[in-house]
Amino acid sequence: MKRFLINWLIMTIAVGVMVALLPGMQAKGEPPILGIAAFSLFMALINASIKPVVHLLALPFSLLSFGFVALVINWLFMELASWLAFSFFDVGVVIDGFWWSVLGSLIMSIVSSIVSGVFGK
């Protein structure tokens, strides 16, 4: 449980940076950090549960498409996390399109790596 909470904190920081940098991402909620926290909660749950299985099953297609399938899967997971956050908590992060999610995934990956290194995870 402690590991999941640390992953959620790291994801929340990464999503906060992503929302701050990308005009195609908006946090909805009062205060906006609630939307970021709800979105990152569902992203952390997805990353811990179904993402490894889906990426493993899609690996042959991802190799054939030079990684495009992996980008589509990441976009779908971000849309799913956004939908779940709005459905359960009525706050979340609005994603304006596919390419914003690709840039967002890149930013989240870089920031998560930096923050994980700082925390010594």
mmCIF file of all heavy atoms in Angstrom, residues 6-46:
data_model
loop_
_atom_site.group_PDB
_atom_site.id
_atom_site.type_symbol
_atom_site.label_atom_id
_atom_site.label_comp_id
_atom_site.label_asym_id
_atom_site.label_seq_id
_atom_site.Cartn_x
_atom_site.Cartn_y
_atom_site.Cartn_z
ATOM 1 N N ILE A 6 3.126 6.101 -2.774
ATOM 2 C CA ILE A 6 4.290 6.824 -3.308
ATOM 3 C C ILE A 6 4.151 6.994 -4.812
ATOM 4 O O ILE A 6 4.421 8.067 -5.354
ATOM 5 C CB ILE A 6 5.591 6.094 -2.928
ATOM 6 C CG1 ILE A 6 5.819 6.202 -1.419
ATOM 7 C CG2 ILE A 6 6.778 6.656 -3.696
ATOM 8 C CD1 ILE A 6 6.948 5.342 -0.899
ATOM 9 N N ASN A 7 3.714 5.929 -5.508
ATOM 10 C CA ASN A 7 3.501 6.030 -6.955
ATOM 11 C C ASN A 7 2.425 7.070 -7.286
ATOM 12 O O ASN A 7 2.542 7.803 -8.268
ATOM 13 C CB ASN A 7 3.112 4.674 -7.538
ATOM 14 C CG ASN A 7 4.288 3.742 -7.631
ATOM 15 O OD1 ASN A 7 5.431 4.159 -7.629
ATOM 16 N ND2 ASN A 7 4.010 2.458 -7.699
ATOM 17 N N TRP A 8 1.388 7.130 -6.463
ATOM 18 C CA TRP A 8 0.326 8.112 -6.680
ATOM 19 C C TRP A 8 0.858 9.528 -6.485
ATOM 20 O O TRP A 8 0.548 10.426 -7.268
ATOM 21 C CB TRP A 8 -0.842 7.827 -5.745
ATOM 22 C CG TRP A 8 -2.023 8.730 -5.903
ATOM 23 C CD1 TRP A 8 -2.388 9.429 -7.023
ATOM 24 C CD2 TRP A 8 -3.006 9.036 -4.924
ATOM 25 N NE1 TRP A 8 -3.542 10.135 -6.786
ATOM 26 C CE2 TRP A 8 -3.942 9.912 -5.503
ATOM 27 C CE3 TRP A 8 -3.190 8.632 -3.609
ATOM 28 C CZ2 TRP A 8 -5.036 10.413 -4.799
ATOM 29 C CZ3 TRP A 8 -4.286 9.122 -2.922
ATOM 30 C CH2 TRP A 8 -5.192 10.005 -3.523
ATOM 31 N N LEU A 9 1.676 9.738 -5.459
ATOM 32 C CA LEU A 9 2.274 11.048 -5.231
ATOM 33 C C LEU A 9 3.163 11.457 -6.400
ATOM 34 O O LEU A 9 3.090 12.597 -6.886
ATOM 35 C CB LEU A 9 3.084 11.053 -3.925
ATOM 36 C CG LEU A 9 3.865 12.327 -3.633
ATOM 37 C CD1 LEU A 9 2.923 13.499 -3.417
ATOM 38 C CD2 LEU A 9 4.779 12.127 -2.452
ATOM 39 N N ILE A 10 3.981 10.537 -6.870
ATOM 40 C CA ILE A 10 4.852 10.820 -8.017
ATOM 41 C C ILE A 10 4.020 11.134 -9.250
ATOM 42 O O ILE A 10 4.301 12.080 -9.989
ATOM 43 C CB ILE A 10 5.816 9.638 -8.261
ATOM 44 C CG1 ILE A 10 6.811 9.545 -7.107
ATOM 45 C CG2 ILE A 10 6.533 9.776 -9.597
ATOM 46 C CD1 ILE A 10 7.640 8.279 -7.103
ATOM 47 N N MET A 11 2.965 10.353 -9.474
ATOM 48 C CA MET A 11 2.083 10.583 -10.623
ATOM 49 C C MET A 11 1.385 11.936 -10.498
ATOM 50 O O MET A 11 1.218 12.647 -11.492
ATOM 51 C CB MET A 11 1.061 9.452 -10.731
ATOM 52 C CG MET A 11 0.134 9.553 -11.922
ATOM 53 S SD MET A 11 0.928 9.264 -13.510
ATOM 54 C CE MET A 11 1.317 7.554 -13.377
ATOM 55 N N THR A 12 0.982 12.321 -9.294
ATOM 56 C CA THR A 12 0.319 13.610 -9.090
ATOM 57 C C THR A 12 1.256 14.761 -9.428
ATOM 58 O O THR A 12 0.853 15.729 -10.084
ATOM 59 C CB THR A 12 -0.178 13.733 -7.633
ATOM 60 O OG1 THR A 12 -1.071 12.651 -7.370
ATOM 61 C CG2 THR A 12 -0.901 15.045 -7.406
ATOM 62 N N ILE A 13 2.505 14.658 -9.027
ATOM 63 C CA ILE A 13 3.485 15.696 -9.372
ATOM 64 C C ILE A 13 3.681 15.748 -10.879
ATOM 65 O O ILE A 13 3.691 16.832 -11.483
ATOM 66 C CB ILE A 13 4.810 15.436 -8.637
ATOM 67 C CG1 ILE A 13 4.616 15.611 -7.129
ATOM 68 C CG2 ILE A 13 5.910 16.356 -9.151
ATOM 69 C CD1 ILE A 13 5.769 15.108 -6.288
ATOM 70 N N ALA A 14 3.816 14.593 -11.513
ATOM 71 C CA ALA A 14 4.024 14.538 -12.960
ATOM 72 C C ALA A 14 2.824 15.103 -13.720
ATOM 73 O O ALA A 14 2.994 15.851 -14.693
ATOM 74 C CB ALA A 14 4.304 13.101 -13.399
ATOM 75 N N VAL A 15 1.616 14.769 -13.286
ATOM 76 C CA VAL A 15 0.410 15.286 -13.952
ATOM 77 C C VAL A 15 0.300 16.791 -13.735
ATOM 78 O O VAL A 15 -0.087 17.530 -14.652
ATOM 79 C CB VAL A 15 -0.852 14.551 -13.451
ATOM 80 C CG1 VAL A 15 -2.119 15.227 -13.944
ATOM 81 C CG2 VAL A 15 -0.836 13.099 -13.899
ATOM 82 N N GLY A 16 0.666 17.273 -12.552
ATOM 83 C CA GLY A 16 0.645 18.713 -12.297
ATOM 84 C C GLY A 16 1.578 19.466 -13.234
ATOM 85 O O GLY A 16 1.209 20.509 -13.782
ATOM 86 N N VAL A 17 2.762 18.940 -13.450
ATOM 87 C CA VAL A 17 3.707 19.563 -14.386
ATOM 88 C C VAL A 17 3.150 19.496 -15.805
ATOM 89 O O VAL A 17 3.229 20.476 -16.563
ATOM 90 C CB VAL A 17 5.096 18.891 -14.287
ATOM 91 C CG1 VAL A 17 6.016 19.365 -15.388
ATOM 92 C CG2 VAL A 17 5.710 19.146 -12.924
ATOM 93 N N MET A 18 2.577 18.353 -16.166
ATOM 94 C CA MET A 18 2.006 18.187 -17.506
ATOM 95 C C MET A 18 0.906 19.210 -17.765
ATOM 96 O O MET A 18 0.887 19.871 -18.807
ATOM 97 C CB MET A 18 1.451 16.768 -17.655
ATOM 98 C CG MET A 18 0.715 16.505 -18.948
ATOM 99 S SD MET A 18 -0.149 14.929 -18.954
ATOM 100 C CE MET A 18 -1.508 15.263 -17.837
ATOM 101 N N VAL A 19 0.010 19.370 -16.812
ATOM 102 C CA VAL A 19 -1.099 20.324 -16.966
ATOM 103 C C VAL A 19 -0.572 21.755 -17.022
ATOM 104 O O VAL A 19 -1.073 22.581 -17.788
ATOM 105 C CB VAL A 19 -2.127 20.147 -15.820
ATOM 106 C CG1 VAL A 19 -3.113 21.286 -15.777
ATOM 107 C CG2 VAL A 19 -2.865 18.820 -15.986
ATOM 108 N N ALA A 20 0.465 22.043 -16.252
ATOM 109 C CA ALA A 20 1.037 23.391 -16.248
ATOM 110 C C ALA A 20 1.729 23.725 -17.568
ATOM 111 O O ALA A 20 1.697 24.876 -18.017
ATOM 112 C CB ALA A 20 2.022 23.533 -15.089
ATOM 113 N N LEU A 21 2.326 22.725 -18.208
ATOM 114 C CA LEU A 21 3.099 22.981 -19.428
ATOM 115 C C LEU A 21 2.275 22.919 -20.717
ATOM 116 O O LEU A 21 2.612 23.592 -21.685
ATOM 117 C CB LEU A 21 4.256 21.980 -19.535
ATOM 118 C CG LEU A 21 5.376 22.119 -18.514
ATOM 119 C CD1 LEU A 21 6.402 21.019 -18.723
ATOM 120 C CD2 LEU A 21 6.026 23.481 -18.600
ATOM 121 N N LEU A 22 1.235 22.116 -20.738
ATOM 122 C CA LEU A 22 0.508 21.883 -21.989
ATOM 123 C C LEU A 22 -0.819 22.633 -22.012
ATOM 124 O O LEU A 22 -1.671 22.409 -21.150
ATOM 125 C CB LEU A 22 0.248 20.390 -22.183
ATOM 126 C CG LEU A 22 1.474 19.507 -22.356
ATOM 127 C CD1 LEU A 22 1.065 18.060 -22.490
ATOM 128 C CD2 LEU A 22 2.301 19.948 -23.550
ATOM 129 N N PRO A 23 -1.021 23.479 -23.019
ATOM 130 C CA PRO A 23 -2.306 24.172 -23.115
ATOM 131 C C PRO A 23 -3.457 23.247 -23.520
ATOM 132 O O PRO A 23 -4.615 23.606 -23.354
ATOM 133 C CB PRO A 23 -2.053 25.238 -24.179
ATOM 134 C CG PRO A 23 -0.899 24.744 -24.974
ATOM 135 C CD PRO A 23 -0.078 23.906 -24.041
ATOM 136 N N GLY A 24 -3.152 22.052 -24.006
ATOM 137 C CA GLY A 24 -4.186 21.103 -24.396
ATOM 138 C C GLY A 24 -4.672 20.239 -23.248
ATOM 139 O O GLY A 24 -5.454 19.311 -23.453
ATOM 140 N N MET A 25 -4.238 20.537 -22.050
ATOM 141 C CA MET A 25 -4.665 19.811 -20.850
ATOM 142 C C MET A 25 -5.142 20.836 -19.827
ATOM 143 O O MET A 25 -4.442 21.787 -19.522
ATOM 144 C CB MET A 25 -3.502 19.037 -20.229
ATOM 145 C CG MET A 25 -2.823 18.079 -21.155
ATOM 146 S SD MET A 25 -3.583 16.496 -20.986
ATOM 147 C CE MET A 25 -2.535 15.506 -21.999
ATOM 148 N N GLN A 26 -6.351 20.631 -19.305
ATOM 149 C CA GLN A 26 -6.883 21.526 -18.282
ATOM 150 C C GLN A 26 -7.368 20.712 -17.095
ATOM 151 O O GLN A 26 -8.066 19.719 -17.267
ATOM 152 C CB GLN A 26 -8.069 22.356 -18.809
ATOM 153 C CG GLN A 26 -7.738 23.298 -19.930
ATOM 154 C CD GLN A 26 -7.913 22.658 -21.280
ATOM 155 O OE1 GLN A 26 -8.744 21.769 -21.452
ATOM 156 N NE2 GLN A 26 -7.116 23.074 -22.244
ATOM 157 N N ALA A 27 -6.982 21.173 -15.905
ATOM 158 C CA ALA A 27 -7.469 20.543 -14.673
ATOM 159 C C ALA A 27 -8.788 21.198 -14.293
ATOM 160 O O ALA A 27 -8.890 22.423 -14.258
ATOM 161 C CB ALA A 27 -6.453 20.718 -13.551
ATOM 162 N N LYS A 28 -9.799 20.384 -14.063
ATOM 163 C CA LYS A 28 -11.119 20.875 -13.668
ATOM 164 C C LYS A 28 -11.386 20.473 -12.233
ATOM 165 O O LYS A 28 -11.228 19.311 -11.865
ATOM 166 C CB LYS A 28 -12.217 20.298 -14.570
ATOM 167 C CG LYS A 28 -12.035 20.604 -16.039
ATOM 168 C CD LYS A 28 -12.194 22.076 -16.312
ATOM 169 C CE LYS A 28 -12.056 22.315 -17.816
ATOM 170 N NZ LYS A 28 -12.105 23.688 -18.166
ATOM 171 N N GLY A 29 -11.776 21.427 -11.428
ATOM 172 C CA GLY A 29 -12.072 21.189 -10.028
ATOM 173 C C GLY A 29 -11.775 22.449 -9.237
ATOM 174 O O GLY A 29 -11.111 23.362 -9.724
ATOM 175 N N GLU A 30 -12.266 22.491 -8.042
ATOM 176 C CA GLU A 30 -12.024 23.664 -7.204
ATOM 177 C C GLU A 30 -11.460 23.212 -5.882
ATOM 178 O O GLU A 30 -12.202 22.641 -5.075
ATOM 179 C CB GLU A 30 -13.328 24.449 -7.012
ATOM 180 C CG GLU A 30 -13.150 25.820 -6.462
ATOM 181 C CD GLU A 30 -12.200 26.691 -7.271
ATOM 182 O OE1 GLU A 30 -12.284 26.746 -8.505
ATOM 183 O OE2 GLU A 30 -11.345 27.310 -6.631
ATOM 184 N N PRO A 31 -10.220 23.331 -5.595
ATOM 185 C CA PRO A 31 -9.116 23.837 -6.401
ATOM 186 C C PRO A 31 -8.698 22.819 -7.465
ATOM 187 O O PRO A 31 -9.021 21.633 -7.347
ATOM 188 C CB PRO A 31 -7.997 24.068 -5.384
ATOM 189 C CG PRO A 31 -8.266 23.090 -4.301
ATOM 190 C CD PRO A 31 -9.766 22.938 -4.249
ATOM 191 N N PRO A 32 -7.958 23.271 -8.493
ATOM 192 C CA PRO A 32 -7.582 22.380 -9.597
ATOM 193 C C PRO A 32 -6.752 21.165 -9.171
ATOM 194 O O PRO A 32 -6.771 20.153 -9.852
ATOM 195 C CB PRO A 32 -6.782 23.283 -10.529
ATOM 196 C CG PRO A 32 -7.250 24.660 -10.229
ATOM 197 C CD PRO A 32 -7.600 24.664 -8.774
ATOM 198 N N ILE A 33 -6.069 21.256 -8.046
ATOM 199 C CA ILE A 33 -5.266 20.114 -7.595
ATOM 200 C C ILE A 33 -6.141 18.892 -7.316
ATOM 201 O O ILE A 33 -5.676 17.757 -7.446
ATOM 202 C CB ILE A 33 -4.409 20.485 -6.354
ATOM 203 C CG1 ILE A 33 -3.411 19.376 -6.016
ATOM 204 C CG2 ILE A 33 -5.274 20.765 -5.149
ATOM 205 C CD1 ILE A 33 -2.353 19.181 -7.030
ATOM 206 N N LEU A 34 -7.408 19.100 -6.985
ATOM 207 C CA LEU A 34 -8.312 17.960 -6.796
ATOM 208 C C LEU A 34 -8.504 17.193 -8.105
ATOM 209 O O LEU A 34 -8.541 15.956 -8.113
ATOM 210 C CB LEU A 34 -9.657 18.415 -6.249
ATOM 211 C CG LEU A 34 -9.672 18.935 -4.816
ATOM 212 C CD1 LEU A 34 -11.070 19.409 -4.447
ATOM 213 C CD2 LEU A 34 -9.188 17.875 -3.857
ATOM 214 N N GLY A 35 -8.640 17.918 -9.209
ATOM 215 C CA GLY A 35 -8.754 17.266 -10.512
ATOM 216 C C GLY A 35 -7.491 16.514 -10.880
ATOM 217 O O GLY A 35 -7.540 15.396 -11.404
ATOM 218 N N ILE A 36 -6.352 17.131 -10.575
ATOM 219 C CA ILE A 36 -5.067 16.491 -10.860
ATOM 220 C C ILE A 36 -4.905 15.236 -10.004
ATOM 221 O O ILE A 36 -4.485 14.190 -10.491
ATOM 222 C CB ILE A 36 -3.922 17.497 -10.636
ATOM 223 C CG1 ILE A 36 -3.979 18.578 -11.713
ATOM 224 C CG2 ILE A 36 -2.576 16.806 -10.620
ATOM 225 C CD1 ILE A 36 -3.074 19.763 -11.469
ATOM 226 N N ALA A 37 -5.260 15.325 -8.729
ATOM 227 C CA ALA A 37 -5.122 14.175 -7.830
ATOM 228 C C ALA A 37 -6.062 13.033 -8.229
ATOM 229 O O ALA A 37 -5.668 11.863 -8.199
ATOM 230 C CB ALA A 37 -5.389 14.602 -6.391
ATOM 231 N N ALA A 38 -7.293 13.359 -8.623
ATOM 232 C CA ALA A 38 -8.242 12.319 -9.038
ATOM 233 C C ALA A 38 -7.774 11.636 -10.317
ATOM 234 O O ALA A 38 -7.800 10.406 -10.430
ATOM 235 C CB ALA A 38 -9.630 12.926 -9.232
ATOM 236 N N PHE A 39 -7.327 12.437 -11.286
ATOM 237 C CA PHE A 39 -6.824 11.880 -12.544
ATOM 238 C C PHE A 39 -5.605 10.999 -12.287
ATOM 239 O O PHE A 39 -5.510 9.883 -12.810
ATOM 240 C CB PHE A 39 -6.479 13.024 -13.500
ATOM 241 C CG PHE A 39 -5.880 12.580 -14.802
ATOM 242 C CD1 PHE A 39 -6.673 12.089 -15.817
ATOM 243 C CD2 PHE A 39 -4.511 12.665 -15.016
ATOM 244 C CE1 PHE A 39 -6.124 11.689 -17.027
ATOM 245 C CE2 PHE A 39 -3.949 12.270 -16.216
ATOM 246 C CZ PHE A 39 -4.759 11.781 -17.227
ATOM 247 N N SER A 40 -4.679 11.477 -11.469
ATOM 248 C CA SER A 40 -3.462 10.704 -11.209
ATOM 249 C C SER A 40 -3.761 9.439 -10.401
ATOM 250 O O SER A 40 -3.070 8.436 -10.556
ATOM 251 C CB SER A 40 -2.414 11.563 -10.512
ATOM 252 O OG SER A 40 -2.869 11.988 -9.264
ATOM 253 N N LEU A 41 -4.797 9.470 -9.552
ATOM 254 C CA LEU A 41 -5.201 8.263 -8.829
ATOM 255 C C LEU A 41 -5.599 7.174 -9.810
ATOM 256 O O LEU A 41 -5.127 6.027 -9.712
ATOM 257 C CB LEU A 41 -6.367 8.559 -7.884
ATOM 258 C CG LEU A 41 -7.025 7.345 -7.234
ATOM 259 C CD1 LEU A 41 -6.061 6.662 -6.281
ATOM 260 C CD2 LEU A 41 -8.301 7.748 -6.527
ATOM 261 N N PHE A 42 -6.432 7.523 -10.774
ATOM 262 C CA PHE A 42 -6.868 6.510 -11.737
ATOM 263 C C PHE A 42 -5.746 6.115 -12.697
ATOM 264 O O PHE A 42 -5.670 4.953 -13.111
ATOM 265 C CB PHE A 42 -8.123 6.979 -12.476
ATOM 266 C CG PHE A 42 -9.334 6.932 -11.599
ATOM 267 C CD1 PHE A 42 -9.928 8.095 -11.146
ATOM 268 C CD2 PHE A 42 -9.865 5.722 -11.191
ATOM 269 C CE1 PHE A 42 -11.033 8.060 -10.316
ATOM 270 C CE2 PHE A 42 -10.977 5.664 -10.361
ATOM 271 C CZ PHE A 42 -11.561 6.839 -9.921
ATOM 272 N N MET A 43 -4.849 7.048 -13.031
ATOM 273 C CA MET A 43 -3.692 6.673 -13.854
ATOM 274 C C MET A 43 -2.807 5.690 -13.093
ATOM 275 O O MET A 43 -2.322 4.713 -13.674
ATOM 276 C CB MET A 43 -2.883 7.919 -14.248
ATOM 277 C CG MET A 43 -3.468 8.731 -15.372
ATOM 278 S SD MET A 43 -3.632 7.851 -16.938
ATOM 279 C CE MET A 43 -1.931 7.546 -17.356
ATOM 280 N N ALA A 44 -2.593 5.923 -11.796
ATOM 281 C CA ALA A 44 -1.778 5.015 -10.995
ATOM 282 C C ALA A 44 -2.449 3.641 -10.888
ATOM 283 O O ALA A 44 -1.767 2.605 -10.963
ATOM 284 C CB ALA A 44 -1.531 5.606 -9.611
ATOM 285 N N LEU A 45 -3.767 3.622 -10.711
ATOM 286 C CA LEU A 45 -4.483 2.341 -10.651
ATOM 287 C C LEU A 45 -4.392 1.584 -11.972
ATOM 288 O O LEU A 45 -4.184 0.363 -11.993
ATOM 289 C CB LEU A 45 -5.949 2.571 -10.277
ATOM 290 C CG LEU A 45 -6.224 2.950 -8.836
ATOM 291 C CD1 LEU A 45 -7.682 3.385 -8.681
ATOM 292 C CD2 LEU A 45 -5.903 1.802 -7.910
ATOM 293 N N ILE A 46 -4.541 2.297 -13.077
ATOM 294 C CA ILE A 46 -4.441 1.665 -14.398
ATOM 295 C C ILE A 46 -3.027 1.151 -14.630
ATOM 296 O O ILE A 46 -2.833 0.029 -15.112
ATOM 297 C CB ILE A 46 -4.871 2.654 -15.498
ATOM 298 C CG1 ILE A 46 -6.379 2.894 -15.428
ATOM 299 C CG2 ILE A 46 -4.458 2.158 -16.876
ATOM 300 C CD1 ILE A 46 -6.870 4.037 -16.287
#
